[in-house]
Each structure stands twice: as C-alpha cells, then as structure tokens.
Amino acid sequence: MEITGSLATIGYGLAAIGPGIGVGLIFGMGVQAIARQPEARGILQGQMIFGFAVVEALAILGFVLAFLQSGQ
C-alpha cells in the first residue's frame, strides 16, 4: 500500500485553527467591550476590523505557502 500526497495541505489545515480561534476571540471580546461601553463603539469597531485583517492575512499567507510547498 502506497500513500501519496502532500503534507502541505494537512499543515495548512492545522495552521488554519489558529486564525479561526483568533477571529473568534477578536469579535467575541469586541462585542463584549461594546456591550460594556457603548460610547466607545467607533474606536473598538475600528480596532476589531484591523485585528481581523491582520489575523486573516496570516491565514492567507499560510494558504499561499501550502501551495508553494506542494509545487516542489
């Protein structure tokens, strides 16, 4: 029995867990902060979106690296 394939896809699947947890924490804590102090909504919402963009950029980087690794 021969197993063929690339471990890069499994690596990306495992690496996607981190950004998924990060996005959940960002928005969960952001909503909680807005509920506690509604007048700070504008500032908090901007920070939430910036944090989301940074976390998703890391996820996309991992996705691209998985394809680069599997091409070799």
Side-chain angles (χ1 to χ4, degrees):
M1 182 164 104
E2 183 179 334
I3 299 174
T4 60
S6 173
L7 289 176
T9 54
I10 294 172
Y12 174 69
L14 292 173
I17 294 172
I21 293 171
V23 168
L25 287 173
I26 287 168
F27 284 107
M29 296 293 183
V31 168
Q32 194 174 42
I34 291 170
R36 289 176 185 258
Q37 200 168 9
E39 65 272 6
R41 179 177 183 230
I43 296 169
L44 292 171
Q45 195 170 16
Q47 290 177 346
M48 284 172 38
I49 292 171
F50 178 73
F52 170 75
V54 170
V55 169
E56 283 302 312
L58 291 174
I60 292 171
L61 180 65
F63 185 64
V64 170
L65 289 177
F67 275 116
L68 290 176
Q69 189 66 25
S70 65
Q72 292 180 353

Coordinates of all heavy atoms in Angstrom, one line a residue:
M1 N 0.9 -1.2 0.0 CA 0.0 0.0 0.0 C 0.9 1.2 0.0 O 1.8 1.4 0.8 CB -0.9 0.0 1.3 CG -1.8 1.1 1.3 SD -3.1 0.9 2.5 CE -2.6 1.9 3.8
E2 N 0.6 2.1 -1.0 CA 1.4 3.3 -1.1 C 0.6 4.5 -0.8 O -0.6 4.6 -1.3 CB 2.0 3.4 -2.5 CG 2.9 4.6 -2.7 CD 3.5 4.6 -4.1 OE1 3.6 3.6 -4.7 OE2 3.8 5.7 -4.5
I3 N 1.1 5.4 0.0 CA 0.3 6.7 0.3 C 1.0 7.8 -0.4 O 2.2 8.0 -0.3 CB 0.3 6.9 1.8 CG1 -0.4 5.8 2.5 CG2 -0.4 8.3 2.1 CD1 -0.4 5.9 4.0
T4 N 0.3 8.5 -1.3 CA 0.8 9.6 -2.0 C 0.1 10.9 -1.6 O -1.1 10.8 -1.1 CB 0.7 9.4 -3.5 OG1 -0.7 9.3 -3.9 CG2 1.5 8.2 -3.9
G5 N 0.7 12.0 -1.8 CA 0.0 13.3 -1.5 C 1.0 14.3 -0.9 O 2.2 14.0 -0.9
S6 N 0.5 15.3 -0.4 CA 1.3 16.4 0.1 C 0.9 16.6 1.6 O -0.2 16.7 1.9 CB 1.2 17.6 -0.7 OG 1.8 18.7 -0.1
L7 N 1.9 16.8 2.4 CA 1.7 17.1 3.8 C 1.4 18.6 4.0 O 0.9 19.0 5.0 CB 2.9 16.7 4.7 CG 3.1 15.2 4.9 CD1 4.3 15.0 5.7 CD2 1.9 14.6 5.6
A8 N 1.6 19.4 2.9 CA 1.4 20.8 3.0 C -0.1 21.1 3.2 O -0.5 22.0 4.0 CB 1.8 21.5 1.7
T9 N -1.0 20.3 2.6 CA -2.4 20.5 2.9 C -2.8 20.2 4.3 O -3.7 20.9 4.9 CB -3.3 19.7 1.9 OG1 -2.9 18.3 2.0 CG2 -3.1 20.2 0.5
I10 N -2.3 19.2 4.9 CA -2.5 18.9 6.3 C -2.0 20.0 7.1 O -2.6 20.4 8.1 CB -2.0 17.5 6.6 CG1 -2.7 16.4 5.8 CG2 -2.1 17.3 8.1 CD1 -2.1 15.1 6.0
G11 N -0.8 20.4 6.8 CA -0.2 21.5 7.6 C -1.0 22.8 7.5 O -1.2 23.5 8.6
Y12 N -1.6 23.1 6.4 CA -2.4 24.3 6.3 C -3.7 24.1 7.1 O -4.1 25.0 7.8 CB -2.7 24.7 4.9 CG -3.7 25.8 4.8 CD1 -3.3 27.1 5.3 CD2 -5.1 25.7 4.5 CE1 -4.2 28.2 5.3 CE2 -5.9 26.7 4.5 CZ -5.5 27.9 4.9 OH -6.4 29.0 5.0
G13 N -4.2 22.9 7.0 CA -5.4 22.7 7.8 C -5.2 22.9 9.3 O -6.0 23.4 10.0
L14 N -4.1 22.4 9.8 CA -3.7 22.6 11.2 C -3.4 24.1 11.5 O -3.8 24.6 12.5 CB -2.5 21.7 11.6 CG -2.8 20.2 11.6 CD1 -1.5 19.4 11.8 CD2 -3.8 19.9 12.6
A15 N -2.8 24.7 10.5 CA -2.4 26.1 10.7 C -3.6 27.0 10.7 O -3.6 28.1 11.2 CB -1.4 26.6 9.7
A16 N -4.7 26.6 10.1 CA -5.9 27.4 10.0 C -6.7 27.5 11.3 O -7.6 28.3 11.5 CB -6.8 26.9 8.9
I17 N -6.4 26.6 12.2 CA -7.0 26.5 13.5 C -6.7 27.8 14.3 O -7.6 28.4 14.9 CB -6.6 25.3 14.3 CG1 -7.1 24.0 13.6 CG2 -7.1 25.4 15.7 CD1 -6.6 22.8 14.2
G18 N -5.5 28.3 14.2 CA -5.0 29.5 15.0 C -5.8 30.7 14.5 O -6.4 31.4 15.4
P19 N -5.8 31.0 13.2 CA -6.6 32.2 12.8 C -8.1 32.1 13.1 O -8.7 33.1 13.4 CB -6.3 32.3 11.3 CG -5.0 31.7 11.1 CD -5.0 30.6 12.1
G20 N -8.6 30.9 13.1 CA -10.0 30.7 13.4 C -10.3 31.0 14.8 O -11.3 31.7 15.2
I21 N -9.4 30.6 15.7 CA -9.6 30.9 17.1 C -9.4 32.4 17.3 O -10.1 33.1 18.1 CB -8.6 30.1 18.0 CG1 -9.0 28.6 17.9 CG2 -8.6 30.6 19.4 CD1 -8.0 27.7 18.5
G22 N -8.4 33.0 16.6 CA -8.1 34.4 16.8 C -9.2 35.3 16.4 O -9.6 36.3 17.1
V23 N -9.9 35.0 15.2 CA -11.0 35.7 14.8 C -12.2 35.6 15.8 O -12.8 36.6 16.1 CB -11.5 35.3 13.4 CG1 -12.8 35.9 13.0 CG2 -10.4 35.7 12.4
G24 N -12.4 34.5 16.3 CA -13.5 34.3 17.3 C -13.2 35.1 18.6 O -14.1 35.7 19.1
L25 N -12.0 35.1 19.0 CA -11.6 35.9 20.2 C -11.7 37.4 19.9 O -12.2 38.2 20.8 CB -10.2 35.6 20.6 CG -10.0 34.3 21.3 CD1 -8.5 34.0 21.6 CD2 -10.8 34.2 22.6
I26 N -11.3 37.9 18.8 CA -11.4 39.3 18.4 C -12.8 39.8 18.5 O -13.1 40.8 19.1 CB -10.7 39.5 17.0 CG1 -9.2 39.4 17.1 CG2 -11.1 40.9 16.5 CD1 -8.5 39.4 15.8
F27 N -13.7 39.1 17.7 CA -15.0 39.6 17.7 C -15.8 39.3 18.9 O -16.7 40.1 19.3 CB -15.8 39.0 16.4 CG -15.3 39.6 15.2 CD1 -14.5 39.0 14.3 CD2 -15.7 40.9 14.9 CE1 -14.1 39.6 13.1 CE2 -15.3 41.6 13.7 CZ -14.5 40.9 12.8
G28 N -15.5 38.2 19.6 CA -16.2 37.9 20.9 C -15.9 39.0 21.9 O -16.8 39.5 22.6
M29 N -14.6 39.3 22.1 CA -14.2 40.3 23.1 C -14.6 41.7 22.6 O -14.9 42.5 23.5 CB -12.7 40.2 23.3 CG -12.2 39.0 23.8 SD -12.7 38.8 25.5 CE -11.9 37.3 26.0
G30 N -14.6 41.9 21.3 CA -15.0 43.2 20.8 C -16.5 43.5 21.1 O -16.9 44.6 21.6
V31 N -17.3 42.5 20.9 CA -18.8 42.7 21.2 C -19.0 42.8 22.7 O -19.8 43.6 23.1 CB -19.6 41.5 20.6 CG1 -21.0 41.4 21.1 CG2 -19.5 41.5 19.1
Q32 N -18.2 42.1 23.4 CA -18.4 42.2 24.9 C -17.9 43.6 25.4 O -18.6 44.2 26.2 CB -17.5 41.2 25.6 CG -17.8 41.0 27.0 CD -17.0 39.8 27.6 OE1 -15.8 39.6 27.2 NE2 -17.6 39.0 28.4
A33 N -16.9 44.2 24.8 CA -16.4 45.5 25.1 C -17.4 46.6 24.7 O -17.7 47.5 25.5 CB -15.0 45.8 24.5
I34 N -18.0 46.4 23.5 CA -19.0 47.4 23.1 C -20.3 47.3 24.0 O -20.9 48.3 24.3 CB -19.4 47.1 21.6 CG1 -18.2 47.5 20.7 CG2 -20.6 47.9 21.2 CD1 -18.3 47.1 19.3
A35 N -20.6 46.1 24.4 CA -21.8 46.0 25.3 C -21.5 46.6 26.7 O -22.4 47.2 27.3 CB -22.1 44.5 25.5
R36 N -20.3 46.6 27.1 CA -19.9 47.2 28.4 C -19.8 48.8 28.3 O -20.1 49.5 29.2 CB -18.6 46.7 28.9 CG -18.7 45.3 29.4 CD -17.3 44.8 29.8 NE -17.3 43.4 30.2 CZ -17.3 42.9 31.4 NH1 -17.3 43.8 32.4 NH2 -17.3 41.6 31.6
Q37 N -19.3 49.2 27.2 CA -19.1 50.7 27.0 C -19.5 51.1 25.6 O -18.7 51.3 24.7 CB -17.6 51.0 27.2 CG -17.4 52.4 27.5 CD -16.0 52.6 28.1 OE1 -15.1 51.7 28.0 NE2 -15.7 53.8 28.5
P38 N -20.8 51.3 25.4 CA -21.4 51.5 24.0 C -20.8 52.8 23.4 O -20.7 52.9 22.2 CB -22.9 51.6 24.2 CG -23.1 51.0 25.5 CD -21.9 51.2 26.3
E39 N -20.4 53.8 24.2 CA -20.0 55.1 23.6 C -18.6 54.9 22.9 O -18.2 55.8 22.2 CB -19.9 56.2 24.7 CG -18.9 55.9 25.8 CD -19.5 55.2 26.9 OE1 -20.6 54.7 26.9 OE2 -18.8 55.0 27.9
A40 N -17.9 53.8 23.2 CA -16.6 53.6 22.6 C -16.7 52.7 21.3 O -15.7 52.2 20.9 CB -15.6 53.0 23.6
R41 N -17.9 52.6 20.8 CA -18.1 51.6 19.7 C -17.3 52.0 18.5 O -16.7 51.1 17.8 CB -19.6 51.7 19.3 CG -19.9 50.8 18.1 CD -21.4 50.7 17.8 NE -21.6 49.8 16.8 CZ -22.3 50.1 15.7 NH1 -22.9 51.3 15.5 NH2 -22.5 49.2 14.8
G42 N -17.1 53.2 18.1 CA -16.4 53.6 16.9 C -14.9 53.2 17.0 O -14.4 52.6 16.0
I43 N -14.3 53.4 18.1 CA -12.9 53.1 18.3 C -12.7 51.6 18.3 O -11.8 51.0 17.7 CB -12.4 53.8 19.6 CG1 -12.4 55.3 19.5 CG2 -11.0 53.3 19.9 CD1 -12.1 56.0 20.7
L44 N -13.6 50.9 19.1 CA -13.5 49.5 19.2 C -13.7 48.8 17.9 O -13.1 47.8 17.6 CB -14.4 49.0 20.3 CG -14.1 49.4 21.7 CD1 -15.2 49.0 22.7 CD2 -12.8 48.8 22.2
Q45 N -14.7 49.2 17.1 CA -15.0 48.6 15.9 C -13.8 48.7 14.9 O -13.5 47.8 14.2 CB -16.3 49.2 15.3 CG -16.9 48.4 14.2 CD -18.3 48.9 13.8 OE1 -18.6 50.0 14.2 NE2 -19.0 48.1 13.1
G46 N -13.2 49.8 14.9 CA -12.0 50.0 14.0 C -10.9 49.1 14.4 O -10.2 48.5 13.5
Q47 N -10.7 48.9 15.7 CA -9.6 48.0 16.2 C -10.0 46.6 15.9 O -9.1 45.8 15.6 CB -9.4 48.3 17.6 CG -8.7 49.6 18.0 CD -8.6 49.8 19.4 OE1 -9.1 49.1 20.3 NE2 -7.8 50.8 19.8
M48 N -11.2 46.3 16.0 CA -11.7 44.9 15.7 C -11.4 44.6 14.2 O -10.9 43.5 13.9 CB -13.1 44.7 16.0 CG -13.5 44.6 17.4 SD -15.2 44.6 17.8 CE -16.0 43.7 16.5
I49 N -11.7 45.5 13.3 CA -11.5 45.2 11.9 C -10.1 45.1 11.6 O -9.6 44.3 10.8 CB -12.3 46.3 11.1 CG1 -13.8 46.1 11.2 CG2 -11.9 46.3 9.6 CD1 -14.6 47.3 10.7
F50 N -9.2 46.0 12.2 CA -7.8 45.9 11.9 C -7.2 44.6 12.4 O -6.4 44.0 11.7 CB -7.1 47.1 12.6 CG -5.6 47.1 12.5 CD1 -5.0 47.4 11.3 CD2 -4.8 46.7 13.5 CE1 -3.6 47.3 11.1 CE2 -3.4 46.7 13.4 CZ -2.8 47.0 12.2
G51 N -7.6 44.2 13.6 CA -7.2 42.9 14.1 C -7.6 41.7 13.3 O -6.8 40.8 13.0
F52 N -8.8 41.8 12.8 CA -9.3 40.8 11.9 C -8.5 40.7 10.6 O -8.1 39.6 10.1 CB -10.8 41.0 11.5 CG -11.4 40.2 10.4 CD1 -11.7 38.9 10.7 CD2 -11.6 40.7 9.2 CE1 -12.2 38.1 9.7 CE2 -12.1 39.9 8.2 CZ -12.4 38.6 8.4
A53 N -8.2 41.9 10.0 CA -7.4 41.9 8.8 C -6.0 41.3 9.0 O -5.5 40.6 8.2 CB -7.3 43.3 8.3
V54 N -5.4 41.6 10.2 CA -4.0 41.0 10.4 C -4.1 39.5 10.6 O -3.3 38.8 10.0 CB -3.4 41.7 11.7 CG1 -2.2 41.0 12.1 CG2 -3.2 43.2 11.4
V55 N -5.1 39.0 11.3 CA -5.2 37.6 11.5 C -5.5 36.9 10.2 O -4.9 35.8 9.9 CB -6.3 37.3 12.6 CG1 -6.6 35.8 12.6 CG2 -5.8 37.7 13.9
E56 N -6.4 37.4 9.4 CA -6.7 36.8 8.1 C -5.5 36.9 7.1 O -5.4 36.0 6.3 CB -7.9 37.5 7.5 CG -9.2 37.0 8.1 CD -9.4 35.5 8.1 OE1 -9.3 34.9 7.0 OE2 -9.7 34.9 9.1
A57 N -4.7 37.9 7.2 CA -3.5 38.0 6.4 C -2.6 36.8 6.7 O -2.0 36.3 5.8 CB -2.8 39.3 6.5
L58 N -2.5 36.5 8.0 CA -1.6 35.4 8.3 C -2.2 34.1 7.8 O -1.5 33.2 7.4 CB -1.4 35.3 9.8 CG -0.6 36.4 10.5 CD1 -0.7 36.3 12.0 CD2 0.8 36.4 10.0
A59 N -3.5 33.9 7.8 CA -4.1 32.7 7.3 C -3.9 32.6 5.8 O -3.6 31.5 5.3 CB -5.6 32.7 7.6
I60 N -4.1 33.7 5.1 CA -3.9 33.7 3.6 C -2.4 33.4 3.3 O -2.1 32.7 2.3 CB -4.3 35.0 3.0 CG1 -5.9 35.1 3.1 CG2 -3.9 35.1 1.6 CD1 -6.5 36.4 2.8
L61 N -1.5 33.9 4.1 CA -0.1 33.6 3.9 C 0.2 32.1 4.0 O 0.9 31.5 3.2 CB 0.8 34.4 4.9 CG 2.3 34.3 4.8 CD1 2.8 34.8 3.5 CD2 3.0 35.0 6.0
G62 N -0.4 31.5 5.0 CA -0.2 30.1 5.2 C -0.8 29.3 4.0 O -0.3 28.3 3.6
F63 N -1.9 29.8 3.5 CA -2.6 29.2 2.4 C -1.7 29.2 1.1 O -1.5 28.2 0.4 CB -3.9 29.9 2.1 CG -4.7 29.3 1.0 CD1 -5.3 28.0 1.1 CD2 -5.0 30.0 -0.2 CE1 -6.0 27.4 0.2 CE2 -5.8 29.4 -1.2 CZ -6.3 28.1 -1.0
V64 N -1.1 30.4 0.9 CA -0.2 30.5 -0.2 C 1.1 29.6 -0.1 O 1.5 29.0 -1.0 CB 0.2 32.0 -0.4 CG1 1.3 32.2 -1.4 CG2 -1.0 32.8 -0.9
L65 N 1.6 29.6 1.1 CA 2.8 28.8 1.4 C 2.5 27.3 1.2 O 3.4 26.6 0.8 CB 3.4 29.1 2.8 CG 4.0 30.5 3.0 CD1 4.4 30.7 4.4 CD2 5.2 30.6 2.0
A66 N 1.3 26.9 1.5 CA 1.0 25.5 1.3 C 1.0 25.1 -0.2 O 1.4 24.1 -0.6 CB -0.4 25.2 1.9
F67 N 0.5 26.1 -1.0 CA 0.6 25.8 -2.5 C 2.0 25.9 -3.0 O 2.4 25.1 -3.8 CB -0.3 26.8 -3.2 CG -1.7 26.4 -3.3 CD1 -2.7 27.2 -2.7 CD2 -2.1 25.3 -4.0 CE1 -4.0 26.9 -2.8 CE2 -3.4 24.9 -4.1 CZ -4.4 25.7 -3.5
L68 N 2.8 26.8 -2.5 CA 4.2 26.8 -2.9 C 5.0 25.6 -2.5 O 5.8 25.1 -3.3 CB 4.9 28.1 -2.3 CG 4.4 29.4 -2.9 CD1 5.1 30.5 -2.1 CD2 4.7 29.5 -4.3
Q69 N 4.7 25.1 -1.3 CA 5.4 23.9 -0.8 C 4.9 22.6 -1.6 O 5.7 21.8 -1.9 CB 5.1 23.7 0.6 CG 5.9 22.6 1.3 CD 7.4 22.9 1.3 OE1 7.8 24.1 1.3 NE2 8.2 21.9 1.4
S70 N 3.7 22.6 -2.0 CA 3.2 21.4 -2.7 C 3.7 21.4 -4.2 O 3.7 20.3 -4.8 CB 1.6 21.3 -2.6 OG 1.1 22.4 -3.3
G71 N 4.0 22.5 -4.7 CA 4.5 22.6 -6.1 C 5.9 22.1 -6.2 O 6.4 21.8 -7.4
Q72 N 6.7 21.9 -5.2 CA 8.1 21.5 -5.3 C 8.2 20.0 -5.4 O 7.6 19.2 -5.1 CB 8.9 22.0 -4.1 CG 9.0 23.4 -4.1 CD 9.8 23.9 -2.9 OE1 10.1 23.1 -2.0 NE2 10.1 25.2 -2.8

